[in-house]
Amino acid sequence: GLGDSIAQTLISNHPAPLEYVGVNDSFGESGTPTQLLEKYGLNAENIVKAAKKALKRK
């Protein structure tokens, strides 16, 4: 998808560890933005975990 295309372009020009944070295939649900970010793992805590995981590989 778009995220992968951007990641490949960035990595080819500026090599760095990469960790994806995204939504797995699933049906959409209703809820507040905060509830949905939490449910799909797109909250700050999970983004920080992914960043730390990528930095450990550097």
Side-chain angles (χ1 to χ4, degrees), residues 3-57:
D4 190 49
S5 296
I6 292 169
Q8 288 180 2
T9 300
L10 289 172
I11 293 299
S12 66
N13 294 305
H14 304 284
L18 177 66
E19 192 68 32
Y20 286 95
V21 177
V23 177
N24 294 325
D25 289 339
S26 65
F27 291 105
E29 295 187 32
S30 296
T32 67
T34 302
Q35 289 170 328
L36 295 173
L37 290 173
E38 188 74 28
K39 176 174 178 46
Y40 293 110
L42 298 175
N43 56 7
E45 180 182 346
N46 286 330
I47 293 170
V48 169
K49 283 181 188 177
K52 287 180 177 179
K53 184 176 178 182
L55 289 172
K56 284 182 182 177
R57 292 195 308 266

